[in-house]
Amino acid sequence: MAAAWKRVKANKGSAGVDGLTIEQTAEHLKERWPQVRKELIAGKYQPQAVRRVEIPKPTGGMRELGIPTVMDRLIQQALLQVLQPLIDPTFSEFSYGFRPGRSAHDAVLQAQLYVQEGFQVVVDVDLEKFFDRVNHDILMDRLAKRIADKAVLRLIRLYLQAGIMAGGVVMDRSEGTPQGGPLSPLLANVLLDEVDQDLQRRGHRFARYADDCNVYVRSQKAGERVLASLRKLYAKLHLVVNEKKTEVGPVFGRKFLGYCLRRWTKGTVKIAVAPKALDTFKQRIRLITRRVGGKGMVQIAEQMREYLPGWKSYFRLAQTPQTFKDLDSWTRHRLRAIQLKHWRTGRTVYSRLRALGANHELAAQIAGGAGHWWGHSEAGLNRVLTVKYFDELGVPRLT
């Protein structure tokens, strides 16, 4: 429980339906924990409902999360720490999501290996609202084959059945395992492992990360056959294939976990950032560098430090360095435009540029176009507002 508390505290997160923060729950536990412990051991503990929140997806639309109370996150985390070492070794080696020592990068590298070997048609399967459609009875049946302790199984079912609070009203839940609780990823892997094992028995090349599964084959016909069998496998689990987003086709350029694969010279296959991920990056930078809203350069640089290093770390597998150079250049272009906007008047722009070392002609040219920030941010301004200038402001680089 002490180890679970450390993890919950490190993960931070907001309060659940009881309104108690992590700090408030710590105080609450000092008095309440002995009673909670007795209830857990006696099988009488009743989880509270989860708080429903919606967050925007990078590709548009909203993703629904269920936020358990801090107390329930603590108990779920303790369950996870006991169950994961027992269950995880039984999973397929080609499952990479939410498993110790595995990551999305491993899945992308595995995909690259398959394609390099000649499996250049992909069955890209998308499941419709997977976390909302998990059938409790099927999941509990699969769990019972791995867990003998009935008290633990009963507690997990209670967590599955805990209601959802939205707008102050608690709604019962008969299916689904809301994203947001520590146990949900493990439960998802338990359910989907059945499909993984079938694919593996048939000798298919595949990589799965959570509910994102790609199967790699040599031909379109083979891909169509695999997709037909996958539909049947998922149907047995009461899961629905999203036909609009599921496709069989050439692998090159198709998005997988934010990356895509590109055919290179001499038959090699390289990893690149997918176009949609590049669009999402630019949307985020545009939001940070909006020329309205009153944010100063110090605040903008701080937001850049919060976003860019994480993005760079995730996409470090990309083997296309020019992409990162282009993004750096584009980002600095926007920063130069907003810097001009902050200086505003022609006289101030002129004096600021002169103070930074610009000659009279360049400073006068840019100051004379005050108001046309985007166009003038390129017109020789890079010789004044240099890369070093933004380095000193603390803006990270991708290259």
Side-chain angles (χ1 to χ4, degrees):
M1 295 307 302
W5 177 252
K6 284 183 181 178
R7 177 59 64 88
V8 169
K9 191 174 178 182
N11 287 343
K12 300 179 181 178
S14 56
V17 295
D18 61 0
L20 296 179
T21 64
I22 290 175
E23 293 75 17
Q24 291 168 332
T25 303
E27 291 300 312
H28 182 63
L29 280 168
K30 291 176 182 177
E31 295 182 4
R32 176 85 172 110
W33 178 248
Q35 180 60 32
V36 171
R37 185 176 182 275
K38 286 180 183 177
E39 291 173 5
L40 284 166
I41 291 171
K44 295 180 180 179
Y45 179 80
Q46 184 64 47
Q48 295 190 65
V50 299
R51 181 169 64 89
R52 186 171 71 183
V53 297
E54 291 184 334
I55 60 171
K57 293 181 181 180
T59 54
M62 304 297 288
R63 173 178 284 116
E64 187 178 298
L65 297 181
I67 308 299
T69 64
V70 178
M71 176 78 80
D72 284 324
R73 296 207 295 271
L74 171 65
I75 295 167
Q76 284 194 37
Q77 179 63 36
L79 275 170
L80 178 68
Q81 289 170 183
V82 173
L83 296 177
Q84 195 157 44
L86 298 174
I87 296 175
D88 191 83
T90 69
F91 291 152
S92 164
E93 63 178 301
F94 302 109
S95 162
Y96 298 96
F98 309 108
R99 297 182 61 190
R102 290 165 172 261
S103 69
H105 288 167
D106 297 319
V108 173
L109 289 169
Q110 184 67 62
Q112 182 190 32
L113 179 62
Y114 292 145
V115 177
Q116 190 69 63
E117 291 174 346
F119 296 86
Q120 297 185 355
V121 173
V122 64
V123 184
D124 185 356
V125 181
D126 184 89
L127 294 177
E128 196 170 278
K129 296 184 178 180
F130 166 71
F131 283 93
D132 295 335
R133 292 182 181 273
V134 169
N135 182 282
H136 292 174
D137 291 336
I138 293 174
L139 174 57
M140 292 308 303
D141 175 72
R142 302 318 188 256
L143 276 171
K145 294 174 181 177
R146 291 175 160 95
I147 303 170
D149 193 317
K150 291 184 179 179
V152 169
L153 291 170
R154 186 165 56 248
L155 180 59
I156 292 173
R157 184 178 274 279
L158 287 172
Y159 273 117
L160 289 173
Q161 294 174 337
I164 296 177
M165 178 177 281
V169 178
V170 176
M171 298 172 286
D172 291 336
R173 189 170 73 233
S174 58
E175 63 178 8
T177 170
Q179 298 180 72
L183 263 182
S184 290
L186 178 66
L187 299 180
N189 277 332
V190 167
L191 189 64
L192 292 174
D193 184 63
E194 189 164 315
V195 178
D196 295 344
Q197 298 295 347
D198 191 275
L199 288 170
Q200 205 163 329
R201 277 193 300 272
R202 299 181 187 207
H204 289 302
R205 276 77 173 170
F206 72 97
R208 181 177 66 80
Y209 189 93
D211 58 330
D212 199 343
C213 182
N214 277 6
V215 185
Y216 298 86
V217 295
R218 292 189 184 273
S219 70
Q220 184 75 20
K221 284 187 177 180
E224 297 291 351
R225 287 195 299 270
V226 169
L227 179 56
S229 66
L230 282 172
R231 286 192 186 99
K232 293 176 183 177
L233 289 169
Y234 287 126
K236 287 180 182 178
L237 300 175
H238 291 203
L239 298 173
V240 179
V241 171
N242 186 334
E243 299 295 346
K244 290 182 180 179
K245 295 183 178 180
T246 295
E247 291 184 87
V248 179
V251 70
F252 295 108
R254 192 177 297 273
K255 180 174 71 74
F256 181 46
L257 302 176
Y259 286 94
C260 66
L261 298 174
R262 299 209 180 279
R263 197 193 307 271
W264 220 249
T265 57
K266 299 179 182 178
T268 59
V269 175
K270 285 197 173 184
I271 298 171
V273 183
K276 279 190 177 180
L278 293 175
D279 290 343
T280 302
F281 173 88
K282 289 189 173 184
Q283 287 170 14
R284 182 64 178 273
I285 297 301
R286 286 188 186 102
L287 187 63
I288 293 172
T289 59
R290 288 176 67 202
R291 294 193 288 279
V292 293
K295 286 189 293 188
M297 287 300 290
V298 171
Q299 187 181 357
I300 288 169
E302 183 180 342
Q303 291 183 356
M304 289 285 198
R305 288 194 294 274
E306 290 172 359
Y307 179 63
L308 287 178
W311 194 92
K312 178 181 177 179
S313 176
Y314 182 78
F315 286 104
R316 67 181 183 271
L317 289 185
Q319 297 167 301
T320 50
Q322 188 60 46
T323 296
F324 292 91
K325 291 178 183 177
D326 292 345
L327 290 177
D328 267 339
S329 177
W330 179 84
T331 299
R332 285 192 291 269
H333 188 174
R334 290 197 63 86
L335 291 171
R336 291 184 186 108
I338 200 170
Q339 183 67 90
L340 290 179
K341 168 78 171 177
H342 287 168
W343 290 339
R344 287 189 177 277
T345 66
R347 185 181 297 275
T348 302
V349 170
Y350 176 85
S351 60
R352 293 275 191 167
L353 292 175
R354 289 288 283 156
L356 288 167
N359 60 35
H360 165 73
E361 289 77 12
L362 178 60
Q365 177 192 355
I366 295 172
H372 302 286
W373 315 117
W374 181 253
H376 283 283
S377 68
E378 274 190 327
L381 193 58
N382 59 337
R383 300 199 300 272
V384 184
L385 300 184
T386 62
V387 175
K388 184 180 179 183
Y389 177 84
F390 293 111
D391 286 348
E392 289 172 353
L393 279 174
V395 177
R397 300 189 213 175
L398 296 176
T399 54

